[in-house]
Amino acid sequence: MNDILLRHREIKDIGQLAVYRQHEGFEGFKRAVTGMQPDELTEMVKASGLRGRGGAGFSTGMKWSFIDKNAWPHYVVVNADESEPGTFKDREIMESNPFQFLEGVALCAYAVGAHTAYIYLRGEFWQLAAHLDASIAEMEKEGLLGDNLFGSDYSLRIYTHLGAGAYICGEETALLESLEGKLGQPRLRPPFPPSFGLYGKPTIVNNVETLANVPLIVQKGVDWFRGFGTEKSPGTKVFSLSGNVVKPGNYELPLGTTFRELIYTHGGGITDGRKIKAIMPAGASSSLIVADDKALDTPMDYESVPSVGAMLGSASIIVVDETVSMDWLINKTMHFFQHESCGKCTPCREGTYWMRHLTERIHHNQATWDDVILLQDVASNVKGKCLCALGDFSTEAVISSITRFRGDFEAKVGAPLSAPAEAELKEQVSN
Amino acid sequence: MNPLRERYGQEIDDILAKYPQEQKRSAVMPLLYVAQREYGYVTREHLGQIGEILAIAPTEVASIVGFYTLYHDTPGGKYRLQICNDLPCALRGADKFLEGVCDHLGVKPGETSEDGVVTVEAVMCLAACDKAPMFQVQSAEGISYHENQTVQSTIALVDGWRKKEETK
Amino acid sequence: MAVADTTQQTLVTLTIDEQQISVAPGTLVVDAAKRAGIDIPVFCYHPKMEPVGMCRMCLVEVGRPVLDRATGQPVMGEDGQPQLQFGPKLETGCTVPVSEGMVVRGYTEKVKEARDEVLEFLLTSHPLDCPICDKGGECPLQNLTMKFGPGQTRYIYDEKIRLDKHVPLGDLIFLDRERCIQCARCTRFQTEIADDPVIGFNERGRKLEIVTFSDPGFDSYWSGNTTDICPVGALTTADFRFGARPWELKSVASICTHCPVNCNTTLNTRREAKSGGKAVVKRIMPRQNEMVNEIWLCDKGRFVYQYTEEANRIGQPLLSKNNQLAPASWDEALAAVADKVKKSGGKLTTVVSGRLSNEDYFNIKAFTEAAKGQIALYSHMAGGDLVSQVGLGQGSNLADLGKGDAILVVASDLEEEASMWWLRVKQAAERGAKLIVANPRRTKLEREATHVVRYSYGEEAAAVHALIDSISPKRPEQTEAVKRLMTQDEIKAAAKDIAEAQNLVVFYGSEGTDLAASESLASAAANLLIATGHVGKPNNGLVAVWDKSNVQGAWELGLRPSGDLASLMKDAEVLYLVGVDPSGDDPQLAAAVDAAKFVVVQELAETKTTQAADVVLPAQAFTEREGTLTSGERRVQRYYPAVPAVGETRADYTIAAQLGALIGATLEAVSAGRVFAQLVETNEAYKGLTMQRLAEVTEQWPIIGRADVYYGGTTYDNKSGLGVQVSSAADRGETPVLSFAQPLERERGDGLLAVPVTKLYDHGNMISKTVLLHNRLQKPQVTLNPEDAERLGLEDGKATKVSVNGVQAAVTAYVDNSLPRGTVLIPRSLGLPISGPYTLKVEA
Ligand SMILES: Cc1cc2nc3c(=O)[nH]c(=O)nc-3n(C[C@H](O)[C@H](O)[C@H](O)COP(=O)(O)O)c2cc1C
Ligand code: SF4
Ligand code: FES
């Protein structure tokens, strides 16, 4: 195992500041502040090829370079909302390897000229916030945070901020609204946060795991980092594995590791030796991949996963075995999205509600094929029409399961799909 | 004077210090947690008091309470047992677990036990999918996670609370 | 704000639905389309508010020219046209600004389907109760569904959410939760425009609902506007709900007579069985005049009209017989008055209210002069002559003020005294104008102020002098107060901004002033404008925040308030009171009325003063007649008769003319137009005006009209006249002269100084008849500084007793920590008579 982010699994007490420092902790930050221009740091991260681990996989260095230098102050906001069903990696990093994460935050802040960083944690991470507050206080005590760091004129403060139960606050602009004390509803984009972010000021929003990579890139260099993963998806990734597997949990593996290796080698295979049926690689927001050999041998990186009809996203791999019927599954995901739609835009607000009604009906054997077709149609009317990606996310499992696991619905409805209906279905999907 | 400010002056000042002076509104969520600690829910009076501290309208504070699920505007049990039965947990038996706990306590999801000690709620993913069945407990002391649970271990926990409440 | 200005030089050219148009950069696609007469349907977008892109109704296909990376020039296609790139997704026209060469398609299958879908989504939760919905007939959702919507529903009716239907958000506004489509227009209006976020969303997702936690509910002076812009029947007003269907209503243009802003309104009327088949006013709606009130109306203007209704009125002349008022014929009543006037030997005193029409003033003044009597304007403010000289320059529009300009508001709580000006001044400040608010205490306008100047009550003129002297220290001597004020940093900073301002507008009000102090303040304010060269041009000049709607009109015609009204009245052989209630207002004046020999009162309704009258002449309300008013910005505007006159009432100008005829003066009695024609002859500023010119309209932006309620709301389009802003003396090239009188400064006596202030919802004769507003009327009250309150044992919100000028009253005490020590605020017309600062005793 190459633990970069989950180093606590190798170095037991790395969660203690002294131990972290024994392992060259904060050396990179010190070196940057005392000897590097902020832009040098940004260039380094750009060169490393690090891509955002929050879901979209956008180049981190590129994002930093977009910060608007004509408006001040700048802010760094860490997305620690971790609310995608099936995702639990940021939590482990912050709990067990907090200083590496915090050093990443500090490096990002230095690179973009921010003197204040906020860590926005989902409200449920109440204890974790207290734990981070204590770690931050320790850093302040040791002169790793505060004014005139390492004798320079650079100063930095990091604060935690707790959300209060809203998945949408993981969407970066909704998160910023929430941090400003407003409803967590997404903003229009453009403008994007690097030019108009927190309090209308230039802001970099990064995921926890993304930033936790940065200290080791600075410490060990770009080439070392590029030694893991693939050309376009360098580095390791913490895969949150859940669902019908023997050993669910977080696994840090190079990007490009196959689904098969994760599920069977590390995850111990499917519970009770059953057969695998489907994979959701990006949590509840994911399309359902038919878990055939081709899919299982697909490398998990940002480029390859689309070839089997899904996105890598946050890499929260939910494994679904043969006993699970898709009508049940999409009823679960729709329950989630209906509950989490912020209500700001019409298609998402009304569409998730309507889809939930339809999946309920289907799941409770009250539906005909017409309902399934209607569901597919409603989903395709939501898709691509919303203010933010949550609306799209809500349709992925629905659309992919109806097209890829038709048998489940035939069984549920108790009738095979007629030819004209099939044509109608196809047409909707292509829309 | 503002009762919240009077009771939690230092804590409120510390919270306000986190945000730029002209952006006091950012403190609305932390202040709601402070207020909620008092009775386990946010009262109408709290809305006005928080509004006054932050110079925003009570209605704006109310909107925040309404939007986020961890704030409550009505009283519930002393302990809110929030069981995740979202997809990943459900794949690992969370629905059955929820049912089992409810049956033992004689409540349905969303209901409060007769003695007012516990409210059972079904909630969305809590980022602990590998340790299902699991739940979190929301109470005056904050929020704590309880993972890899069984119905028995959960009931034992609830019994512990009941004892604690009785001796109060 | 998303309003574009087509007069800018560099325009952007784009194509919408095959039509090429050029608009200012920054214009949003929906607005560009609107200007070109192309409909892109919207729900959440409103041209007066920031775009939010929530409802997704305005989805269109947007193509942009492909640019060559190297040259930045458009790449040409085979057909010689620039190559276009269309995005994979539809875009919301309300959030996309135009760009050069853009092509927008709103007619394609893809767009039509998207509109269909959005409507279908909205209708899944919307009840199908159009037949009983007040919005029916002027509902954007209904109209757009007819135009674009799916013909049938695929949604199971039983799965619709059922929600509460008649939720009072307060006394004025009702919410139907089922009908709400979550467009947030109402909440955004309250936040962005009214700066009063007293309604908000609760919950999220499909459960989003509008709530209020203000006390009383939906407590805002602007609440009615939300019902205009709500695109469905979710928000309705308490006065109009279930009152009528929009298509049964007749619309008549009118002007709001509550304050000197003179907002443009539409009176909606309908014949009703319960009124004996006569037309009655069903509601008052705003009428667009971008130079006056844009498309808004404050709640007082919208809801306060019940006083004009028949039940509240005197319908017949009354004549005192055996010390008892009894109905009489007009001939009898007029003859009785004329007889007394003829015998009075010129000892006729006429007192007129500040809300009569210009025509009324003209005739009443002419009649009084014919009788060799004297006439006084019933007002506590002075300076109208100065406003005639250096008032807002012709062609002014407060909406033009912004960056580089300055506005000074002194001695006025603008939101309470002239709400619409508060809104317009606030918006100017938001556009970047420097706003200086000078007042001894905190007012709402201060939220937008660049500088806040504090002075003591009694030093309002001194404060303005301190500004003048900080800019140009020409004057030889300064009073102590001016010297002291000049050391204030805020005054220095404000003076700098004023001196540097391109345009300067000064509003002065009457907070804390009596007539003499008002005169001194007005003169100081005029001097400031003259000294800094801010007169005689558009968007510069002096505005008096008058206590009534047409005080400026009265001044223009030569009417003046009296410094000693009581003496003037008590010595009269004949006292002719038009539209005023001195007996109700002040015991001292009541005694003067009682002392007068013969009292004639011309009024709409019974008052304390009519009870003391020998003759009562019933007048028509503004809803029943025609006339013109002159606003504080000196815009002359017309209003029209909307309903038949109550009983035998006559217009004020007619009554005056008929009285005139009996004493040998020939005056126009038949039409306001003819009076107006005479009036313009005698008045320099009004020269050349005709009733026709006042009725002219030009196109306004945003374009709103009855057919497109989806765009601007149900505000009425203006078809009956934008009025004409008349010239000031400075506009006409007369050089205004600086006066070097020292500011009036008052010595403070011992004890508390009682200071008059103005509240929007006082207990005046008009508003107190409006049952709907009863919970909103201010309580009789005094406001003190916390230290004074503590010393006197008073607590915030507690009852106490005070005596002012010998009148005792039970009041509620309020505490305001921005108030200077030793001062007590007493609102006018709230039970305690107050016309200027007094020394006050408090008995707690
Ligand atoms: C509905 C929705 C939920 C999201 N939730 C999260 C989340 O919980 N954590 C996260 O880091 N990013 C989340 N994102 C992605 C963020 O918007 C954003 O892309 C990310 O924080 C950027 O950080 P990165 O570049 O480091 O990945 C979410 C996006 C959407 C649309
Ligand atoms: S009440 Fe009307 S204006 Fe307000 S959100 Fe609902 S539909 Fe929009
Ligand atoms: S999204 Fe454009 S009008 Fe609502």
Side-chain angles (χ1 to χ4, degrees), chain C residues 377-401:
Chain C
L377 179 59
Y378 193 74
S379 164
H380 56 259
M381 279 180 78
D385 49 341
L386 297 170
V387 178
S388 300
Q389 287 178 41
V390 298
L392 265 190
Q394 231 173 349
S396 293
N397 181 353
L398 294 175
D400 294 338
L401 292 168

Side-chain angles (χ1 to χ4, degrees), chain A residues 188 346 387, chain C residues 30 40-46 51-59 91-95 183 185 188:
Chain A
L188 287 173
T346 308
L387 186 69
Chain C
V30 284
I40 297 179
V42 298
F43 281 120
C44 68
Y45 180 69
H46 189 282
V52 284
M54 291 164 62
C55 75
R56 320 304 285 176
M57 189 61 201
C58 63
L59 289 170
E91 296 182 43
T92 44
C94 73
T95 64
C183 68
R185 272 188 176 184
R188 286 183 289 136

Side-chain angles (χ1 to χ4, degrees), chain A residues 241-245 263 270 276 278-280 317-321, chain B residues 91:
Chain A
L241 181 64
S242 69
N244 304 130
V245 286
I263 296 168
I270 308 304
I276 186 167
I279 303 170
M280 298 179 87
I317 317 293
I318 304 176
V319 176
V320 179
D321 76 21
Chain B
L91 287 170

Side-chain angles (χ1 to χ4, degrees), chain C residues 565-584:
Chain C
L565 194 59
S567 312
L568 205 62
M569 294 201 300
K570 77 173 188 285
D571 296 339
E573 287 288 322
V574 178
L575 182 58
Y576 178 27
L577 302 170
V578 187
V580 296
D581 180 23
S583 305

Side-chain angles (χ1 to χ4, degrees), chain B residues 41 55 112 141 143 145 158 165:
Chain B
Y41 72 105
T112 303
E141 284 115 65
I143 293 172
Y145 271 48
V158 173
E165 290 304 316

Side-chain angles (χ1 to χ4, degrees), chain A residues 165-166 188 339-347 349-351 353-354 357 361 374 377 381 385-387 392, chain C residues 51-56 89 95 117 120-122 124-125 154-156 159 161 181-182 204-206 208:
Chain A
L188 287 173
H339 187 263
E340 298 300 337
S341 169
C342 80
K344 186 167 179 177
C345 75
T346 308
R349 180 183 67 239
E350 306 293 339
Y353 185 78
W354 195 356
H357 268 302
R361 251 192 272 152
L374 178 59
D377 190 39
N381 291 353
K385 307 281 169 49
C386 298
L387 186 69
D392 287 353
Chain C
V52 284
M54 291 164 62
C55 75
R56 320 304 285 176
K89 288 185 183 182
T95 64
E117 287 160 22
E120 179 177 41
F121 278 136
L122 290 173
T124 57
S125 326
R154 302 186 293 171
Y155 193 82
I156 297 187
E159 289 179 354
I161 299 190
I181 59 166
Q182 287 86 15
R204 69 184 185 212
R206 186 57 198 90
L208 275 183

Side-chain angles (χ1 to χ4, degrees), chain C residues 175 179-186 201 210 230-232 234-235:
Chain C
L175 169 68
R179 291 182 193 152
C180 174
I181 59 166
Q182 287 86 15
C183 68
R185 272 188 176 184
C186 55
F201 276 125
I210 299 293
C230 176
V232 289
L235 296 176

Side-chain angles (χ1 to χ4, degrees), chain C residues 407 409 414 421-429 435 445 507:
Chain C
I407 300 174
V409 178
L414 215 44
W421 282 339
W422 168 82
L423 188 74
R424 309 257 293 162
V425 167
K426 161 190 174 269
Q427 292 180 343
L435 172 63
L445 188 63
F507 289 85

